[in-house]
Amino acid sequence: MISCPDARGIIAAVTNFVAEHDGNILDADQHTDPGENIFFMRLEIDPQGFGLARETFAAAWRALSERFRMTWRIHWADEVKTMAILVSKEDHCLNDLLWRWRTGEHRVRLAMVISNHDALRENVEMFRVPYHHLPVTEENKSAQEAQMRNLLAASGVDVMVLARYMQVLSPALVSAHRERIINIHHSFLPAFAGRKPYHQAFERGVKIIGATSHYVTESLDDGPIISQSTTAVDHRDTVDDLIRKGRDLERVVLATAVRHHLQDRILVSGNKTVVFD
Amino acid sequence: MISCPDARGIIAAVTNFVAEHDGNILDADQHTDPGENIFFMRLEIDPQGFGLARETFAAAWRALSERFRMTWRIHWADEVKTMAILVSKEDHCLNDLLWRWRTGEHRVRLAMVISNHDALRENVEMFRVPYHHLPVTEENKSAQEAQMRNLLAASGVDVMVLARYMQVLSPALVSAHRERIINIHHSFLPAFAGRKPYHQAFERGVKIIGATSHYVTESLDDGPIISQSTTAVDHRDTVDDLIRKGRDLERVVLATAVRHHLQDRILVSGNKTVVFD
Amino acid sequence: MISCPDARGIIAAVTNFVAEHDGNILDADQHTDPGENIFFMRLEIDPQGFGLARETFAAAWRALSERFRMTWRIHWADEVKTMAILVSKEDHCLNDLLWRWRTGEHRVRLAMVISNHDALRENVEMFRVPYHHLPVTEENKSAQEAQMRNLLAASGVDVMVLARYMQVLSPALVSAHRERIINIHHSFLPAFAGRKPYHQAFERGVKIIGATSHYVTESLDDGPIISQSTTAVDHRDTVDDLIRKGRDLERVVLATAVRHHLQDRILVSGNKTVVFD
Amino acid sequence: MISCPDARGIIAAVTNFVAEHDGNILDADQHTDPGENIFFMRLEIDPQGFGLARETFAAAWRALSERFRMTWRIHWADEVKTMAILVSKEDHCLNDLLWRWRTGEHRVRLAMVISNHDALRENVEMFRVPYHHLPVTEENKSAQEAQMRNLLAASGVDVMVLARYMQVLSPALVSAHRERIINIHHSFLPAFAGRKPYHQAFERGVKIIGATSHYVTESLDDGPIISQSTTAVDHRDTVDDLIRKGRDLERVVLATAVRHHLQDRILVSGNKTVVFD
């Protein structure tokens, strides 16, 4: 994954580099943001036959990356990310992620589920996944987060998924995991940001509801959007119907965002995402 | 079309009334808003064989409507509404409505097109529809609206469609045509209300854009929503792409709202619509 | 739920009947098939205050139903249907139904899961639902079905859901459960009927895939369609991608059909459904 | 646009070639069909500063294209394709294409409209586009096609769009314009191929209808699919409603296919398309 100021010859330089090291390109995608003049690229290289390895890649790559002032990262196919799921009381997104993890649709190590409630313990433990109940009160908020950070660090968690976790994370925690915390918001943001979006949608009388997954930033409900989806509603739908229809949107939208993240398909540019799907 | 406080026996009373006058019910739909406790009903009666006519209906109906404190209206199948289209420079919604009018998909008398620009005159006059160019300046705003009101009144216009008309109508004009002015807004309201919604959507990096048709109220972009639709976009889409994709949404969403209005399928309840489709 | 030859005055007669017995109509929907001239109606009556009960309803209703030659059924709100899920090796539809049952989204008694494989036993038993492994060979087919019928009868199963059950049921079994067996087919029928629809779709190069839930009839993949949904695909999608995307369609389409069935919202007319949603 | 047997180093070789001739790559997309082992690539090069021109490109490019056994074509940005629209009596797709041509959304020279009926003459001539009425009878079929071919050849037509043209073209005509005739079929093919698809869909009781645009081949309704879209219907929709809803699908699906073709975004591989959108 590469991003850098746009310039002539980047694609040629990069693909040459790969060819010189006997790499076979399985997939390549690029995008230039014309407003910001930033170039983005995603290359998938067959590890079979590729002449560089984890130890030798960075040194070989340095000259090229400096020449184009690249921000880059490489993900080796034999590495698997480590994920933690945070949840409150709603179980639909949690169950969906558990199922995709268990069936191998999402290739990830699921280290733990953390919740500020104890309600979903059995639901998680029956899959033999550790469940940590870390209650939140007004007083213990920072202590609770410290506990959480210890747990995450101890398991080497790469990515946190807020699967309807109804607590706001501190700026410190967010900034320590920039572009590695994925949230699901139960509206088509930026409409109905904040609390009780289905109630807001009902009050406003919209004919469409939606769900939005985004990276968490210090600015609530305002991080870079990864995936969105909508579905039709009408005057016959009560708030409960919106909530029910929304659950089916939320879990698919969140799962899509998580899959793109796990497959290293997302680059963030300012407050937007480039998703090479 | 009926709305009234909810009570037992309304449907029976109404359908009895129809049966007593030899009416055959072609279509019936009802809805109860549980929050407001208001009952809504739409009945379509075959005029063939119905024992009441334009002159006799109101008197026969009075007792029933007073008993349930109904707000009601009846639309006789041989009546056709009269429509005016207001437009500025964008022609896609206008052309779409012209085409649906000309092919008979929308059963309506199209009295005129009014524009604050002269750009679309030829486009309209080739369909032999009167085109009135009423320019707007900061000074002449109320005079221009007076002209417009005279034109509308002279032709007996029932319904005004703002097919991308970029001027704000005065509260007086709006309140004189309550629930009879339909606007298209080029976003999935309430997201991106106001000006340049596609630019706002691009800046925010949403993955979905939409369009919304609504009745115009004194409160800009905030009237009862009639129809909405959305479509997917991604990082490759420029503002121009959003505008292009949005045009195809806007014209279908607006046409849907206009059709429902022309067929008397919409009841307004507070700031929401009940659309019996 | 009522269906009968269309005639004047049915709605009035039915709603009068309800009013005479102090019934409050919560929801009413009707439809007339103009080709077949059949009238369909669904009424939801508040049990609170309704003057008829399980024991007295049929006698009171008889005259009316005979007058209009009605086919009718009534579902009392305190009754819950009993469901069996049939499954082979794919778990996504099964898990989805288990989750909706467990959270109460689907109000149903789940009597058992039957499978021709033993693969999903743990998956089911951890929810404390009986799992019956009834293997199928070419020789034992009718014996296996006899076993199945005994199990279903013993538990009083009302509705069978084929949640990716890859065996064809015998005509005898099907006709004994007419309009009470719901299947999910992993294509937008009638396209790609039969086996391996995602492979067929890939070969044909379609840009859209779908899923279809329908009542099972003697004619394979040809029963009355209850619900369908589609999603976009493109040249980058492999067969595995189609299968993955399809899973998310299938489970929502099947769940929708099951919910409509459990809520008694479906009337079958010839080879079509009327779904009062 | 390039297609060739897959091999290592193609992207590097091609992008090097561009860089050596001072080309700036505006957009690049590639795809490998893993089953057929064919590599597809689309490159968009800024003509500004590019060192090769119409006269010199082929010679410079030859070595590379032979080395990888490429099938390729180049489209120079200052060239505009020439289009003919064929139509029978339905005007919705025709009008849509006329509008997109007139507003410049589709950058194309519109040479003529050909119809086997005279019904849409005024509709076309008011845009000052030549309208050729070539009636078809059982006897004159080949003579009519000869006339058509003369007209197309005389105007240098590159692409023919069948905008609801209800005549089957001869294999000779089709094979002379391979991958240059775009048809709209009013169903989600392969469902409901052949005549009266909306009637077929109504009879089958589907809950979704669709439209499909494809390149015309000798095998009717079976050419490579370019674009598809679907929309929901239900038991309340008559055949006329399906036709009305379908019109809005058809014109957008056909317009999308035409736009991709005009922008040289489509490669055909066997009976499938790769659409670099």
Side-chain angles (χ1 to χ4, degrees), chain C residues 57-93:
Chain C
F57 183 83
W61 176 251
R62 181 167 315 130
L64 193 61
S65 73
E66 288 179 353
R67 176 174 150 213
F68 290 104
R69 288 179 291 144
M70 290 176 177
T71 303
W72 62 276
R73 62 178 193 264
I74 188 165
H75 179 78
W76 298 89
D78 56 356
E79 288 172 2
V80 168
K81 290 189 201 300
T82 300
M83 181 166 83
I85 300 174
L86 277 70
V87 68
S88 290
K89 287 177 171 171
E90 298 273 354
D91 68 350
H92 54 287
C93 288

Side-chain angles (χ1 to χ4, degrees), chain C residues 86-105:
Chain C
L86 277 70
V87 68
S88 290
K89 287 177 171 171
E90 298 273 354
D91 68 350
H92 54 287
C93 288
L94 170 66
N95 279 324
D96 194 79
L97 292 171
L98 286 169
W99 169 71
R100 291 184 207 263
W101 157 73
R102 192 163 55 102
T103 60
E105 179 177 313

Side-chain angles (χ1 to χ4, degrees), chain A residues 91-92 95-96 99-100 102-103 105 122-123 126-128 236 244 247-248 251 259 277, chain C residues 91-92 95-96 99-100 102-103 105 122-123 126-128 244 247-248 251 259 277:
Chain A
D91 68 351
H92 54 287
N95 279 325
D96 194 79
W99 170 71
R100 291 183 205 265
R102 192 164 53 103
T103 61
E105 180 177 312
E122 190 196 343
N123 191 84
M126 73 186 177
F127 295 102
R128 297 180 192 99
R236 283 178 289 261
R244 173 178 55 76
R247 280 196 297 255
D248 285 339
R251 52 188 202 163
R259 190 178 67 252
D277 59 347
Chain C
D91 68 350
H92 54 287
N95 279 324
D96 194 79
W99 169 71
R100 291 184 207 263
R102 192 163 55 102
T103 60
E105 179 177 313
E122 190 196 343
N123 192 83
M126 71 187 178
F127 294 102
R128 298 180 191 98
R244 173 177 56 74
R247 279 195 298 254
D248 285 339
R251 50 189 203 163
R259 190 179 67 252
D277 60 347

Side-chain angles (χ1 to χ4, degrees), chain C residues 6 31-38 40, chain D residues 202 235-239:
Chain C
D6 195 22
H31 172 66
T32 305
D33 182 322
E36 309 287 333
N37 223 34
I38 302 175
F40 302 91
Chain D
F202 181 79
H235 62 270
R236 282 177 288 261
D237 289 303
T238 63
V239 171

Side-chain angles (χ1 to χ4, degrees), chain C residues 134-259:
Chain C
L134 304 181
V136 180
T137 63
E138 281 199 27
E139 296 77 34
N140 81 341
K141 190 116 213 223
S142 70
Q144 191 252 14
E145 245 187 31
Q147 271 186 288
M148 198 188 294
R149 295 180 73 157
N150 288 339
L151 285 168
L152 298 170
S155 292
V157 166
D158 295 304
V159 52
M160 295 161 64
V161 179
L162 311 192
R164 301 293 306 269
Y165 182 67
M166 309 312 273
Q167 297 292 322
V168 177
L169 301 179
S170 73
L173 183 58
V174 168
S175 90
H177 296 80
R178 187 161 307 287
E179 295 168 25
R180 292 190 291 137
I181 312 178
I182 299 170
N183 186 44
I184 180 73
H185 191 273
H186 36 318
S187 84
F188 50 93
L189 289 175
F192 310 128
R195 285 168 52 76
K196 293 198 171 275
Y198 293 124
H199 291 79
Q200 293 181 52
F202 181 79
E203 287 307 315
R204 181 61 188 90
V206 291
K207 303 298 187 187
I208 277 177
I209 57 168
T212 304
S213 61
H214 61 92
Y215 283 123
V216 174
T217 60
E218 289 81 352
S219 164
L220 200 64
D221 296 340
D222 207 30
I225 292 172
I226 306 169
S227 180
Q228 294 189 294
S229 184
T230 57
T231 198
V233 297
D234 70 19
H235 62 269
R236 282 177 290 260
D237 289 302
T238 62
V239 171
D240 283 346
D241 291 323
L242 301 193
I243 291 171
R244 173 177 56 74
K245 290 185 171 185
R247 279 195 298 254
D248 285 339
L249 284 178
E250 291 166 39
R251 50 189 203 163
V252 172
V253 168
L254 180 58
T256 301
V258 169
R259 190 179 67 252

Side-chain angles (χ1 to χ4, degrees), chain A residues 156-173:
Chain A
V157 167
D158 295 304
V159 52
M160 294 160 64
V161 179
L162 310 192
R164 302 292 307 266
Y165 182 67
M166 309 311 274
Q167 296 292 323
V168 177
L169 302 179
S170 73
L173 183 58

Side-chain angles (χ1 to χ4, degrees), chain A residues 140-213:
Chain A
N140 82 341
K141 190 117 212 226
S142 70
Q144 190 253 15
E145 245 188 31
Q147 270 186 289
M148 195 189 296
R149 296 181 72 159
N150 288 340
L151 284 168
L152 298 170
S155 293
V157 167
D158 295 304
V159 52
M160 294 160 64
V161 179
L162 310 192
R164 302 292 307 266
Y165 182 67
M166 309 311 274
Q167 296 292 323
V168 177
L169 302 179
S170 73
L173 183 58
V174 169
S175 90
H177 296 81
R178 186 161 308 287
E179 296 168 25
R180 291 188 292 137
I181 312 178
I182 299 170
N183 186 43
I184 179 73
H185 191 273
H186 37 318
S187 84
F188 51 91
L189 289 175
F192 310 128
R195 285 168 51 77
K196 294 199 170 276
Y198 293 124
H199 290 78
Q200 293 182 51
F202 181 80
E203 286 307 315
R204 181 62 188 90
V206 290
K207 302 299 186 184
I208 278 177
I209 58 167
T212 304
S213 61

Side-chain angles (χ1 to χ4, degrees), chain B residues 96 102 105 123 251, chain D residues 96 102 105 123 247 251:
Chain B
D96 194 79
R102 192 162 55 102
E105 180 177 314
N123 191 84
R251 51 189 202 162
Chain D
D96 193 80
R102 192 164 55 101
E105 180 177 313
N123 192 84
R247 280 197 296 256
R251 51 188 203 164

